[in-house]
Amino acid sequence: ISLNNPTKISKVDISNSSELPGATLEIKKKEDSTVIHHWTSTTIPQYFYLENGEYILCETQAPQGYALKKECINFTVDGSKILTVKMENEKEVEIPNTGIQINKMIYLGATFLIMIGLSIMTIIIWKRRTNK
């Protein structure tokens, strides 16, 4: 274990690089996906003493109001320096209600009325032709 050189894990807001509390994170060994550390981020970065090797940092739950980071970050610890691993999150995009559902209902209603009108016209034309 590299006691003199911790690995700094930083979970930040992509828009302002400030530490982002509330994310659930895991560090796994790359070779076999064994979970080494599991924690919830706070307003300060976390430091871990890891053995030399290859690791994966994954987010399992996003902070409230932020999109889950689906891509994990690969990193290698070699003990020669302090390693900083930074994972960034974007806020969830809120899609405004543009009334599209209402428009769909109007189109469905209009289509229904047109179909009824065409059916009535077809019946009237058919009756006129059969009465001659």
Side-chain angles (χ1 to χ4, degrees):
I1 297 178
S2 176
L3 296 178
N4 295 325
N5 297 309
T7 300
K8 175 183 174 184
I9 306 292
S10 188
K11 180 66 176 172
V12 298
D13 183 318
I14 196 168
S15 66
N16 60 18
S17 294
S18 64
E19 290 293 323
L20 188 56
T24 304
L25 303 164
E26 291 180 339
I27 296 176
K28 300 177 184 180
K29 284 187 176 181
K30 188 173 182 179
E31 63 192 31
D32 61 6
S33 295
T34 302
V35 177
I36 305 298
H37 294 285
H38 178 87
W39 76 103
T40 301
S41 64
T42 64
T43 57
I44 58 173
Q46 300 294 309
Y47 291 85
F48 298 98
Y49 292 96
L50 301 171
E51 295 179 10
N52 291 345
E54 295 183 359
Y55 296 90
I56 304 169
L57 173 65
C58 297
E59 180 176 63
T60 58
Q61 184 174 347
Q64 186 173 2
Y66 287 80
L68 180 69
K69 186 76 169 184
K70 294 180 181 173
E71 305 83 29
C72 296
I73 296 174
N74 295 308
F75 65 96
T76 302
V77 174
D78 68 8
S80 66
K81 61 183 183 275
I82 295 175
L83 177 65
T84 299
V85 181
K86 185 190 295 188
M87 182 179 274
E88 299 172 321
N89 270 75
E90 295 178 336
K91 289 191 176 188
E92 286 183 317
V93 176
E94 290 187 30
I95 300 172
N97 183 357
T98 59
I100 291 175
Q101 284 294 76
I102 294 170
N103 289 342
K104 286 182 183 178
M105 295 302 290
I106 291 169
Y107 291 133
L108 282 173
T111 302
F112 181 72
L113 291 174
I114 290 170
M115 295 297 289
I116 289 174
L118 288 173
S119 298
I120 291 171
M121 284 177 45
T122 303
I123 291 170
I124 291 170
I125 292 171
W126 179 76
K127 283 187 175 183
R128 284 187 182 170
R129 286 189 179 170
T130 57
N131 287 338
K132 289 186 179 182

